[in-house]
Amino acid sequence: MKIGIISDTHDHLDNIKKAMDLFKQEQIGYLIHCGDFVAPFTLPLFSQLNVPFLGVFGNNDGERLLLRERAKDIGEIKVQPAFLELGGRKIVVMHEPALQTALAKSGEFDVILVGHTHQPEIIMGETLIINPGECCGWLTNRATIAVLDLSTMSARLLEL
């Protein structure tokens, strides 16, 4: 199974659309958002993939009640950290990376997904750590997302 990983969309509708197109091409089976949607009006764009969806709130997500309400049609948005198991892999999803090192050292998780820094990063180790970077491209002028293949535990960054 392939997972699409996106973070820090910050209301950039054009880049969210580009990301959804790339995820369609990659034939992902699950979509994870690592926080900072910002406004609820962006959520309908994620529904076009027609795959299960999980997101976590980021530090810029102020309208949490409406974000949760709008997400009900596609999945859910949780307070971080969120835990799930897919393809036999234990995954934790966070926005801020404060717990990243401790969780990786615990050996309890196969994958840690994180956002917030706007810096794309894939760290291969006993625990795979992925930050897809910023979809919006506002801070770095580089809009990125990631795809994780759970069967091979290989991850790639994709430029929008």
Side-chain angles (χ1 to χ4, degrees):
M1 172 192 284
K2 286 185 183 179
I3 298 175
I5 308 157
I6 191 168
S7 189
D8 297 280
T9 48
H10 290 273
D11 293 344
H12 198 304
L13 297 177
D14 289 339
N15 281 2
I16 295 170
K17 290 174 187 173
K18 289 177 189 176
M20 296 308 107
D21 288 342
L22 283 174
F23 287 145
K24 279 181 190 173
Q25 290 173 20
E26 291 288 328
Q27 299 179 333
I28 65 162
Y30 205 100
L31 178 62
I32 296 177
H33 195 301
C34 297
D36 277 358
F37 302 85
V38 180
F41 67 78
T42 63
L43 285 169
L45 294 175
F46 299 101
S47 67
Q48 65 183 279
L49 292 176
N50 201 27
V51 298
F53 172 85
L54 173 68
V56 295
F57 290 116
N59 59 300
N60 285 296
D61 294 323
E63 225 178 307
R64 291 183 175 199
L65 290 176
L66 192 52
L67 279 164
R68 271 201 170 137
E69 183 63 33
R70 293 268 170 94
K72 283 183 182 177
D73 292 338
I74 57 172
E76 64 182 317
I77 302 173
K78 296 182 174 185
V79 174
Q80 66 172 339
F83 305 97
L84 70 153
E85 190 168 325
L86 293 172
R89 309 289 186 175
K90 292 182 180 179
I91 302 168
V92 61
V93 183
M94 304 179 295
H95 182 64
E96 288 102 357
L99 298 174
Q100 172 181 309
T101 303
L103 290 172
K105 286 181 181 177
S106 76
E108 292 183 43
F109 302 99
D110 299 299
V111 181
I112 296 173
L113 304 177
V114 65
H116 186 63
T117 67
H118 293 243
Q119 299 297 321
E121 184 174 42
I122 297 173
I123 301 171
M124 302 295 289
E126 188 176 322
T127 300
L128 176 60
I129 301 171
I130 303 169
N131 185 329
E134 61 172 353
C135 175
C136 64
W138 300 130
L139 296 182
T140 65
N141 211 23
R142 182 178 179 209
T144 57
I145 57 175
V147 173
L148 167 62
D149 186 328
L150 288 175
S151 62
T152 61
M153 287 298 284
S154 59
R156 295 178 291 121
L157 294 170
L158 303 173
E159 301 270 348
L160 300 184

